[in-house]
PDB file of all heavy atoms in Angstrom:
ATOM      1  N   GLU A  45       4.949  -8.802  -8.981  1.00 98.00           N
ATOM      2  CA  GLU A  45       5.408  -7.519  -8.444  1.00 98.00           C
ATOM      3  C   GLU A  45       6.800  -7.592  -7.906  1.00 98.00           C
ATOM      4  O   GLU A  45       7.637  -6.728  -8.164  1.00 98.00           O
ATOM      5  CB  GLU A  45       4.450  -6.987  -7.344  1.00 98.00           C
ATOM      6  CG  GLU A  45       3.107  -6.568  -7.863  1.00 98.00           C
ATOM      7  CD  GLU A  45       2.083  -6.307  -6.764  1.00 98.00           C
ATOM      8  OE1 GLU A  45       2.178  -6.904  -5.651  1.00 98.00           O
ATOM      9  OE2 GLU A  45       1.179  -5.517  -6.992  1.00 98.00           O
ATOM     10  N   ARG A  46       7.114  -8.703  -7.186  1.00 98.00           N
ATOM     11  CA  ARG A  46       8.473  -8.886  -6.668  1.00 98.00           C
ATOM     12  C   ARG A  46       9.509  -9.037  -7.780  1.00 98.00           C
ATOM     13  O   ARG A  46      10.572  -8.535  -7.741  1.00 98.00           O
ATOM     14  CB  ARG A  46       8.511 -10.038  -5.673  1.00 98.00           C
ATOM     15  CG  ARG A  46       7.691  -9.661  -4.405  1.00 98.00           C
ATOM     16  CD  ARG A  46       7.656 -10.755  -3.395  1.00 98.00           C
ATOM     17  NE  ARG A  46       6.551 -11.677  -3.780  1.00 98.00           N
ATOM     18  CZ  ARG A  46       6.393 -12.880  -3.260  1.00 98.00           C
ATOM     19  NH1 ARG A  46       7.236 -13.397  -2.392  1.00 98.00           N
ATOM     20  NH2 ARG A  46       5.370 -13.602  -3.633  1.00 98.00           N
ATOM     21  N   GLU A  47       9.125  -9.827  -8.820  1.00 98.00           N
ATOM     22  CA  GLU A  47      10.008  -9.990  -9.959  1.00 98.00           C
ATOM     23  C   GLU A  47      10.190  -8.693 -10.691  1.00 98.00           C
ATOM     24  O   GLU A  47      11.297  -8.384 -11.217  1.00 98.00           O
ATOM     25  CB  GLU A  47       9.460 -11.069 -10.917  1.00 98.00           C
ATOM     26  CG  GLU A  47       9.576 -12.464 -10.407  1.00 98.00           C
ATOM     27  CD  GLU A  47      10.985 -13.037 -10.353  1.00 98.00           C
ATOM     28  OE1 GLU A  47      11.931 -12.367 -10.798  1.00 98.00           O
ATOM     29  OE2 GLU A  47      11.097 -14.178  -9.897  1.00 98.00           O
ATOM     30  N   LEU A  48       9.148  -7.809 -10.721  1.00 98.00           N
ATOM     31  CA  LEU A  48       9.240  -6.527 -11.358  1.00 98.00           C
ATOM     32  C   LEU A  48      10.248  -5.651 -10.622  1.00 98.00           C
ATOM     33  O   LEU A  48      11.023  -4.939 -11.251  1.00 98.00           O
ATOM     34  CB  LEU A  48       7.881  -5.858 -11.379  1.00 98.00           C
ATOM     35  CG  LEU A  48       7.772  -4.552 -12.143  1.00 98.00           C
ATOM     36  CD1 LEU A  48       8.191  -4.701 -13.595  1.00 98.00           C
ATOM     37  CD2 LEU A  48       6.319  -3.999 -12.038  1.00 98.00           C
ATOM     38  N   ILE A  49      10.252  -5.723  -9.317  1.00 98.00           N
ATOM     39  CA  ILE A  49      11.260  -4.957  -8.545  1.00 98.00           C
ATOM     40  C   ILE A  49      12.663  -5.458  -8.903  1.00 98.00           C
ATOM     41  O   ILE A  49      13.583  -4.652  -9.155  1.00 98.00           O
ATOM     42  CB  ILE A  49      10.975  -5.057  -7.012  1.00 98.00           C
ATOM     43  CG1 ILE A  49       9.680  -4.393  -6.664  1.00 98.00           C
ATOM     44  CG2 ILE A  49      12.175  -4.541  -6.208  1.00 98.00           C
ATOM     45  CD1 ILE A  49       9.136  -4.735  -5.272  1.00 98.00           C
ATOM     46  N   ALA A  50      12.833  -6.727  -8.952  1.00 98.00           N
ATOM     47  CA  ALA A  50      14.120  -7.294  -9.375  1.00 98.00           C
ATOM     48  C   ALA A  50      14.554  -6.923 -10.753  1.00 98.00           C
ATOM     49  O   ALA A  50      15.683  -6.498 -11.003  1.00 98.00           O
ATOM     50  CB  ALA A  50      14.099  -8.857  -9.272  1.00 98.00           C
ATOM     51  N   ALA A  51      13.613  -6.921 -11.677  1.00 98.00           N
ATOM     52  CA  ALA A  51      13.868  -6.540 -13.046  1.00 98.00           C
ATOM     53  C   ALA A  51      14.221  -5.060 -13.118  1.00 98.00           C
ATOM     54  O   ALA A  51      15.176  -4.688 -13.839  1.00 98.00           O
ATOM     55  CB  ALA A  51      12.664  -6.813 -13.952  1.00 98.00           C
ATOM     56  N   TYR A  52      13.530  -4.212 -12.406  1.00 98.00           N
ATOM     57  CA  TYR A  52      13.739  -2.809 -12.397  1.00 98.00           C
ATOM     58  C   TYR A  52      15.156  -2.422 -11.897  1.00 98.00           C
ATOM     59  O   TYR A  52      15.898  -1.693 -12.501  1.00 98.00           O
ATOM     60  CB  TYR A  52      12.664  -2.116 -11.604  1.00 98.00           C
ATOM     61  CG  TYR A  52      12.778  -0.583 -11.521  1.00 98.00           C
ATOM     62  CD1 TYR A  52      12.806   0.156 -12.671  1.00 98.00           C
ATOM     63  CD2 TYR A  52      12.849   0.037 -10.288  1.00 98.00           C
ATOM     64  CE1 TYR A  52      12.918   1.549 -12.610  1.00 98.00           C
ATOM     65  CE2 TYR A  52      12.939   1.415 -10.215  1.00 98.00           C
ATOM     66  CZ  TYR A  52      12.995   2.190 -11.389  1.00 98.00           C
ATOM     67  OH  TYR A  52      13.079   3.532 -11.310  1.00 98.00           O
ATOM     68  N   VAL A  53      15.494  -2.995 -10.739  1.00 98.00           N
ATOM     69  CA  VAL A  53      16.802  -2.757 -10.155  1.00 98.00           C
ATOM     70  C   VAL A  53      17.903  -3.268 -11.086  1.00 98.00           C
ATOM     71  O   VAL A  53      18.913  -2.596 -11.333  1.00 98.00           O
ATOM     72  CB  VAL A  53      16.946  -3.366  -8.746  1.00 98.00           C
ATOM     73  CG1 VAL A  53      18.369  -3.370  -8.249  1.00 98.00           C
ATOM     74  CG2 VAL A  53      16.013  -2.639  -7.799  1.00 98.00           C
ATOM     75  N   SER A  54      17.711  -4.456 -11.673  1.00 98.00           N
ATOM     76  CA  SER A  54      18.751  -5.044 -12.554  1.00 98.00           C
ATOM     77  C   SER A  54      18.877  -4.181 -13.789  1.00 98.00           C
ATOM     78  O   SER A  54      19.970  -3.973 -14.325  1.00 98.00           O
ATOM     79  CB  SER A  54      18.374  -6.445 -12.926  1.00 98.00           C
ATOM     80  OG  SER A  54      18.377  -7.269 -11.796  1.00 98.00           O
ATOM     81  N   SER A  55      17.764  -3.587 -14.283  1.00 98.00           N
ATOM     82  CA  SER A  55      17.838  -2.697 -15.427  1.00 98.00           C
ATOM     83  C   SER A  55      18.585  -1.421 -15.081  1.00 98.00           C
ATOM     84  O   SER A  55      19.400  -0.934 -15.853  1.00 98.00           O
ATOM     85  CB  SER A  55      16.418  -2.361 -15.967  1.00 98.00           C
ATOM     86  OG  SER A  55      15.827  -3.507 -16.441  1.00 98.00           O
ATOM     87  N   LEU A  56      18.293  -0.872 -13.891  1.00 98.00           N
ATOM     88  CA  LEU A  56      18.999   0.329 -13.450  1.00 98.00           C
ATOM     89  C   LEU A  56      20.502   0.061 -13.339  1.00 98.00           C
ATOM     90  O   LEU A  56      21.353   0.931 -13.687  1.00 98.00           O
ATOM     91  CB  LEU A  56      18.487   0.831 -12.110  1.00 98.00           C
ATOM     92  CG  LEU A  56      17.087   1.374 -12.128  1.00 98.00           C
ATOM     93  CD1 LEU A  56      16.635   1.668 -10.656  1.00 98.00           C
ATOM     94  CD2 LEU A  56      16.966   2.663 -12.958  1.00 98.00           C
ATOM     95  N   ASN A  57      20.906  -1.150 -12.917  1.00 98.00           N
ATOM     96  CA  ASN A  57      22.300  -1.519 -12.783  1.00 98.00           C
ATOM     97  C   ASN A  57      22.902  -1.975 -14.125  1.00 98.00           C
ATOM     98  O   ASN A  57      24.077  -2.241 -14.169  1.00 98.00           O
ATOM     99  CB  ASN A  57      22.418  -2.670 -11.764  1.00 98.00           C
ATOM    100  CG  ASN A  57      22.333  -2.135 -10.342  1.00 98.00           C
ATOM    101  OD1 ASN A  57      22.756  -1.018 -10.050  1.00 98.00           O
ATOM    102  ND2 ASN A  57      21.784  -2.957  -9.473  1.00 98.00           N
ATOM    103  N   GLU A  58      22.088  -1.995 -15.183  1.00 98.00           N
ATOM    104  CA  GLU A  58      22.533  -2.371 -16.484  1.00 98.00           C
ATOM    105  C   GLU A  58      23.222  -3.748 -16.507  1.00 98.00           C
ATOM    106  O   GLU A  58      24.149  -4.005 -17.264  1.00 98.00           O
ATOM    107  CB  GLU A  58      23.510  -1.330 -17.064  1.00 98.00           C
ATOM    108  CG  GLU A  58      22.834   0.041 -17.199  1.00 98.00           C
ATOM    109  CD  GLU A  58      23.755   1.141 -17.723  1.00 98.00           C
ATOM    110  OE1 GLU A  58      24.964   0.822 -18.045  1.00 98.00           O
ATOM    111  OE2 GLU A  58      23.286   2.251 -17.853  1.00 98.00           O
ATOM    112  N   CYS A  59      22.642  -4.660 -15.733  1.00 98.00           N
ATOM    113  CA  CYS A  59      23.085  -6.037 -15.723  1.00 98.00           C
ATOM    114  C   CYS A  59      22.221  -6.767 -16.759  1.00 98.00           C
ATOM    115  O   CYS A  59      21.097  -7.157 -16.522  1.00 98.00           O
ATOM    116  CB  CYS A  59      22.945  -6.668 -14.346  1.00 98.00           C
ATOM    117  SG  CYS A  59      23.474  -8.382 -14.258  1.00 98.00           S
ATOM    118  N   ARG A  60      22.779  -7.048 -17.916  1.00 97.00           N
ATOM    119  CA  ARG A  60      22.031  -7.655 -19.001  1.00 97.00           C
ATOM    120  C   ARG A  60      21.404  -8.969 -18.663  1.00 97.00           C
ATOM    121  O   ARG A  60      20.295  -9.282 -18.983  1.00 97.00           O
ATOM    122  CB  ARG A  60      22.846  -7.757 -20.301  1.00 97.00           C
ATOM    123  CG  ARG A  60      23.062  -6.413 -20.962  1.00 97.00           C
ATOM    124  CD  ARG A  60      23.706  -6.502 -22.379  1.00 97.00           C
ATOM    125  NE  ARG A  60      23.979  -7.846 -22.834  1.00 97.00           N
ATOM    126  CZ  ARG A  60      25.211  -8.316 -23.074  1.00 97.00           C
ATOM    127  NH1 ARG A  60      26.282  -7.485 -22.990  1.00 97.00           N
ATOM    128  NH2 ARG A  60      25.431  -9.485 -23.595  1.00 97.00           N
ATOM    129  N   PHE A  61      22.202  -9.871 -18.012  1.00 97.00           N
ATOM    130  CA  PHE A  61      21.712 -11.173 -17.669  1.00 97.00           C
ATOM    131  C   PHE A  61      20.520 -11.102 -16.719  1.00 97.00           C
ATOM    132  O   PHE A  61      19.426 -11.626 -16.962  1.00 97.00           O
ATOM    133  CB  PHE A  61      22.776 -12.099 -17.115  1.00 97.00           C
ATOM    134  CG  PHE A  61      22.208 -13.440 -16.736  1.00 97.00           C
ATOM    135  CD1 PHE A  61      21.987 -14.434 -17.674  1.00 97.00           C
ATOM    136  CD2 PHE A  61      21.808 -13.676 -15.380  1.00 97.00           C
ATOM    137  CE1 PHE A  61      21.398 -15.638 -17.329  1.00 97.00           C
ATOM    138  CE2 PHE A  61      21.236 -14.900 -15.062  1.00 97.00           C
ATOM    139  CZ  PHE A  61      21.019 -15.862 -16.029  1.00 97.00           C
ATOM    140  N   CYS A  62      20.691 -10.416 -15.597  1.00 98.00           N
ATOM    141  CA  CYS A  62      19.662 -10.353 -14.571  1.00 98.00           C
ATOM    142  C   CYS A  62      18.474  -9.555 -15.087  1.00 98.00           C
ATOM    143  O   CYS A  62      17.304  -9.945 -14.801  1.00 98.00           O
ATOM    144  CB  CYS A  62      20.187  -9.777 -13.282  1.00 98.00           C
ATOM    145  SG  CYS A  62      21.449 -10.837 -12.502  1.00 98.00           S
ATOM    146  N   ALA A  63      18.686  -8.476 -15.803  1.00 98.00           N
ATOM    147  CA  ALA A  63      17.556  -7.643 -16.280  1.00 98.00           C
ATOM    148  C   ALA A  63      16.731  -8.501 -17.284  1.00 98.00           C
ATOM    149  O   ALA A  63      15.512  -8.496 -17.190  1.00 98.00           O
ATOM    150  CB  ALA A  63      18.090  -6.366 -16.946  1.00 98.00           C
ATOM    151  N   SER A  64      17.407  -9.195 -18.193  1.00 98.00           N
ATOM    152  CA  SER A  64      16.684  -9.978 -19.184  1.00 98.00           C
ATOM    153  C   SER A  64      15.928 -11.137 -18.491  1.00 98.00           C
ATOM    154  O   SER A  64      14.773 -11.399 -18.822  1.00 98.00           O
ATOM    155  CB  SER A  64      17.707 -10.570 -20.216  1.00 98.00           C
ATOM    156  OG  SER A  64      18.298  -9.519 -20.916  1.00 98.00           O
ATOM    157  N   SER A  65      16.597 -11.801 -17.517  1.00 97.00           N
ATOM    158  CA  SER A  65      15.964 -12.886 -16.783  1.00 97.00           C
ATOM    159  C   SER A  65      14.731 -12.412 -16.088  1.00 97.00           C
ATOM    160  O   SER A  65      13.610 -12.968 -16.227  1.00 97.00           O
ATOM    161  CB  SER A  65      16.961 -13.529 -15.840  1.00 97.00           C
ATOM    162  OG  SER A  65      18.041 -14.082 -16.464  1.00 97.00           O
ATOM    163  N   HIS A  66      14.878 -11.403 -15.244  1.00 98.00           N
ATOM    164  CA  HIS A  66      13.785 -11.023 -14.362  1.00 98.00           C
ATOM    165  C   HIS A  66      12.711 -10.249 -15.087  1.00 98.00           C
ATOM    166  O   HIS A  66      11.523 -10.221 -14.657  1.00 98.00           O
ATOM    167  CB  HIS A  66      14.328 -10.370 -13.098  1.00 98.00           C
ATOM    168  CG  HIS A  66      15.073 -11.346 -12.289  1.00 98.00           C
ATOM    169  ND1 HIS A  66      14.475 -12.241 -11.463  1.00 98.00           N
ATOM    170  CD2 HIS A  66      16.439 -11.667 -12.254  1.00 98.00           C
ATOM    171  CE1 HIS A  66      15.365 -13.063 -10.925  1.00 98.00           C
ATOM    172  NE2 HIS A  66      16.550 -12.662 -11.419  1.00 98.00           N
ATOM    173  N   ARG A  67      13.046  -9.610 -16.187  1.00 98.00           N
ATOM    174  CA  ARG A  67      12.009  -8.980 -17.064  1.00 98.00           C
ATOM    175  C   ARG A  67      11.088 -10.157 -17.561  1.00 98.00           C
ATOM    176  O   ARG A  67       9.874 -10.040 -17.559  1.00 98.00           O
ATOM    177  CB  ARG A  67      12.582  -8.233 -18.230  1.00 98.00           C
ATOM    178  CG  ARG A  67      13.090  -6.861 -17.883  1.00 98.00           C
ATOM    179  CD  ARG A  67      13.670  -6.205 -19.100  1.00 98.00           C
ATOM    180  NE  ARG A  67      14.176  -4.844 -18.797  1.00 98.00           N
ATOM    181  CZ  ARG A  67      13.919  -3.796 -19.563  1.00 98.00           C
ATOM    182  NH1 ARG A  67      13.202  -3.874 -20.646  1.00 98.00           N
ATOM    183  NH2 ARG A  67      14.371  -2.635 -19.210  1.00 98.00           N
ATOM    184  N   ALA A  68      11.706 -11.247 -18.020  1.00 97.00           N
ATOM    185  CA  ALA A  68      10.932 -12.366 -18.508  1.00 97.00           C
ATOM    186  C   ALA A  68      10.118 -13.019 -17.369  1.00 97.00           C
ATOM    187  O   ALA A  68       8.960 -13.368 -17.542  1.00 97.00           O
ATOM    188  CB  ALA A  68      11.870 -13.393 -19.173  1.00 97.00           C
ATOM    189  N   PHE A  69      10.774 -13.190 -16.190  1.00 98.00           N
ATOM    190  CA  PHE A  69      10.088 -13.813 -15.051  1.00 98.00           C
ATOM    191  C   PHE A  69       8.871 -12.920 -14.632  1.00 98.00           C
ATOM    192  O   PHE A  69       7.810 -13.470 -14.306  1.00 98.00           O
ATOM    193  CB  PHE A  69      11.034 -13.963 -13.887  1.00 98.00           C
ATOM    194  CG  PHE A  69      12.244 -14.868 -14.165  1.00 98.00           C
ATOM    195  CD1 PHE A  69      13.203 -14.974 -13.194  1.00 98.00           C
ATOM    196  CD2 PHE A  69      12.406 -15.529 -15.332  1.00 98.00           C
ATOM    197  CE1 PHE A  69      14.360 -15.739 -13.426  1.00 98.00           C
ATOM    198  CE2 PHE A  69      13.546 -16.295 -15.603  1.00 98.00           C
ATOM    199  CZ  PHE A  69      14.489 -16.396 -14.613  1.00 98.00           C
ATOM    200  N   ALA A  70       9.078 -11.592 -14.572  1.00 98.00           N
ATOM    201  CA  ALA A  70       7.999 -10.717 -14.204  1.00 98.00           C
ATOM    202  C   ALA A  70       6.871 -10.770 -15.231  1.00 98.00           C
ATOM    203  O   ALA A  70       5.707 -10.894 -14.885  1.00 98.00           O
ATOM    204  CB  ALA A  70       8.471  -9.291 -13.999  1.00 98.00           C
ATOM    205  N   ALA A  71       7.236 -10.694 -16.514  1.00 98.00           N
ATOM    206  CA  ALA A  71       6.248 -10.647 -17.568  1.00 98.00           C
ATOM    207  C   ALA A  71       5.344 -11.947 -17.522  1.00 98.00           C
ATOM    208  O   ALA A  71       4.160 -11.866 -17.769  1.00 98.00           O
ATOM    209  CB  ALA A  71       6.926 -10.494 -18.926  1.00 98.00           C
ATOM    210  N   ALA A  72       5.964 -13.049 -17.186  1.00 97.00           N
ATOM    211  CA  ALA A  72       5.269 -14.343 -17.188  1.00 97.00           C
ATOM    212  C   ALA A  72       4.293 -14.373 -16.020  1.00 97.00           C
ATOM    213  O   ALA A  72       3.355 -15.246 -16.011  1.00 97.00           O
ATOM    214  CB  ALA A  72       6.255 -15.479 -17.054  1.00 97.00           C
ATOM    215  N   GLN A  73       4.412 -13.461 -15.019  1.00 97.00           N
ATOM    216  CA  GLN A  73       3.602 -13.555 -13.844  1.00 97.00           C
ATOM    217  C   GLN A  73       2.737 -12.300 -13.600  1.00 97.00           C
ATOM    218  O   GLN A  73       2.006 -12.255 -12.582  1.00 97.00           O
ATOM    219  CB  GLN A  73       4.490 -13.795 -12.596  1.00 97.00           C
ATOM    220  CG  GLN A  73       5.205 -15.113 -12.709  1.00 97.00           C
ATOM    221  CD  GLN A  73       6.146 -15.369 -11.569  1.00 97.00           C
ATOM    222  OE1 GLN A  73       5.721 -15.867 -10.513  1.00 97.00           O
ATOM    223  NE2 GLN A  73       7.428 -14.956 -11.710  1.00 97.00           N
ATOM    224  N   LEU A  74       2.785 -11.386 -14.530  1.00 97.00           N
ATOM    225  CA  LEU A  74       1.891 -10.209 -14.446  1.00 97.00           C
ATOM    226  C   LEU A  74       0.887 -10.288 -15.537  1.00 97.00           C
ATOM    227  O   LEU A  74       1.161 -10.575 -16.681  1.00 97.00           O
ATOM    228  CB  LEU A  74       2.723  -8.945 -14.622  1.00 97.00           C
ATOM    229  CG  LEU A  74       3.726  -8.588 -13.467  1.00 97.00           C
ATOM    230  CD1 LEU A  74       4.666  -7.509 -13.874  1.00 97.00           C
ATOM    231  CD2 LEU A  74       2.921  -8.182 -12.246  1.00 97.00           C
ATOM    232  N   PRO A  75      -0.384  -9.940 -15.198  1.00 96.00           N
ATOM    233  CA  PRO A  75      -1.429  -9.960 -16.225  1.00 96.00           C
ATOM    234  C   PRO A  75      -1.148  -9.079 -17.423  1.00 96.00           C
ATOM    235  O   PRO A  75      -1.484  -9.401 -18.548  1.00 96.00           O
ATOM    236  CB  PRO A  75      -2.710  -9.470 -15.490  1.00 96.00           C
ATOM    237  CG  PRO A  75      -2.416  -9.651 -14.028  1.00 96.00           C
ATOM    238  CD  PRO A  75      -0.917  -9.575 -13.877  1.00 96.00           C
ATOM    239  N   GLU A  76      -0.500  -7.971 -17.198  1.00 95.00           N
ATOM    240  CA  GLU A  76      -0.148  -7.032 -18.264  1.00 95.00           C
ATOM    241  C   GLU A  76       1.119  -7.452 -19.045  1.00 95.00           C
ATOM    242  O   GLU A  76       1.429  -6.786 -20.050  1.00 95.00           O
ATOM    243  CB  GLU A  76       0.097  -5.626 -17.664  1.00 95.00           C
ATOM    244  CG  GLU A  76      -1.066  -5.095 -16.863  1.00 95.00           C
ATOM    245  CD  GLU A  76      -1.018  -5.531 -15.382  1.00 95.00           C
ATOM    246  OE1 GLU A  76      -0.190  -6.384 -14.992  1.00 95.00           O
ATOM    247  OE2 GLU A  76      -1.823  -4.990 -14.596  1.00 95.00           O
TER     248      GLU A  76
END
Side-chain angles (χ1 to χ4, degrees):
E45 290 169 333
R46 290 177 278 168
E47 288 287 358
L48 185 60
I49 294 166
Y52 180 56
V53 169
S54 296
S55 294
L56 292 172
N57 283 326
E58 299 178 3
C59 179
R60 283 191 1 243
F61 177 80
C62 295
S64 298
S65 297
H66 293 280
R67 281 179 180 227
F69 301 172
Q73 297 177 87
L74 290 168
E76 304 87 349

